[in-house]
Amino acid sequence: KRLILVGPPGSGKGTQSPIIKDEYCLCHLATGDMLRVAVAAKTPLGIKAKEAMDKGELVTDDLVVGIIDEAMKKPSCQKGFILDGFPRTVVQAEKLDEMLAKQGNKIDKVLNFAIDDAILEERITGRWIHPSSGRTYHTKFAPPKVSGVDDVTGEPLIQRKDDTPEVLKSRLEAFHRQTEPVIDYYAKKNVLAQLHAEKPPKEVSAEVQKALS
Ligand code: AP5
Ligand code: ZN
């Protein structure tokens, strides 16, 4: 399957991704995660992306399309993939369609993590991540066994630099202005499935299952 997860910051894309990935053996490509790795390593790509990411704005279409184009060439991504956080503009969606059309492929399903903005601040400010695995925790909704420590490796958890109430405001603004049109784009192609992303993680997983069966 070739899947896209779309939704505002904190809607649960990164939480559901590993579950879908394990079930369908798909490669998981999260542009936000890839960009954060590049920023931390101070690669040319990371240096270009940092300023926009810190402000909660989108990085340029060329940058992210380049990342996805490169990543999709991996043999593990040939049979199917989960795109988490891409495409986020209509231009990105069109470029993706072009890339896939060249291989005779297309998107099978777009999962829309629909949720009210009001719920997202609590989710974002309570989030803690384990950077090297991408595992995500929440102080209230998904606490680690030991506070501040990853369950599997025992390594320390960190908070994302853009997970502040102020930066969340611009991320939400970018979502409504630039990414909501992407949802319409896929609705017109009849590949959109709606999720109730405000529900607890297990119930969202059940909805994902249903949408993909
Ligand atoms: P990115 O990393 O993609 O961030 P985002 O879209 O803002 O999404 P998040 O990762 O914040 O949310 P999520 O839906 O994954 O939530 P999670 O599951 O972790 O992008 C970061 C930046 O990179 C962008 O601002 C931009 O600058 C740049 N960028 C990336 N892609 C780009 C692109 N294509 N074009 C241009 N620029 C791009 O959940 C959040 C918290 O809630 C967690 O603590 C979790 O435990 C908890 N939680 C999850 N589900 C539930 C639930 N059902 N109930 C209760 N708690 C829950
Ligand atoms: Zn995420």
Side-chain angles (χ1 to χ4, degrees), residues 96-107:
L96 176 64
D97 276 346
E98 279 170 34
M99 275 184 235
L100 292 173
K102 272 187 211 154
Q103 312 161 350
N105 293 324
K106 61 179 179 51
I107 293 298

Side-chain angles (χ1 to χ4, degrees), residues 107-118:
I107 293 298
D108 296 306
K109 208 66 152 187
V110 177
L111 301 174
N112 181 22
F113 285 67
I115 188 166
D116 207 84
D117 281 8

Side-chain angles (χ1 to χ4, degrees), residues 12-33:
K13 307 179 295 293
T15 300
Q16 298 297 329
S17 288
I19 304 168
I20 307 171
K21 181 187 169 174
D22 289 348
E23 166 111 19
Y24 294 94
C25 289
L26 301 175
C27 81
H28 171 220
L29 302 175
T31 40
D33 293 349

Side-chain angles (χ1 to χ4, degrees), residues 127-140:
R127 169 164 60 187
W128 287 80
I129 57 170
H130 178 241
S132 62
S133 69
R135 268 185 292 279
T136 299
Y137 299 88
H138 191 284
T139 46
K140 183 165 160 193

Side-chain angles (χ1 to χ4, degrees), residues 18-65:
I19 304 168
I20 307 171
K21 181 187 169 174
D22 289 348
E23 166 111 19
Y24 294 94
C25 289
L26 301 175
C27 81
H28 171 220
L29 302 175
T31 40
D33 293 349
M34 293 189 265
L35 288 167
R36 275 184 292 278
V37 169
V39 169
K42 298 198 169 69
T43 65
L45 171 74
I47 291 164
K48 281 187 208 142
K50 186 177 187 310
E51 201 188 319
M53 290 180 76
D54 284 349
K55 285 196 281 190
E57 293 169 3
L58 296 185
V59 309
T60 62
D61 290 332
D62 284 349
L63 273 192
V64 281
V65 169

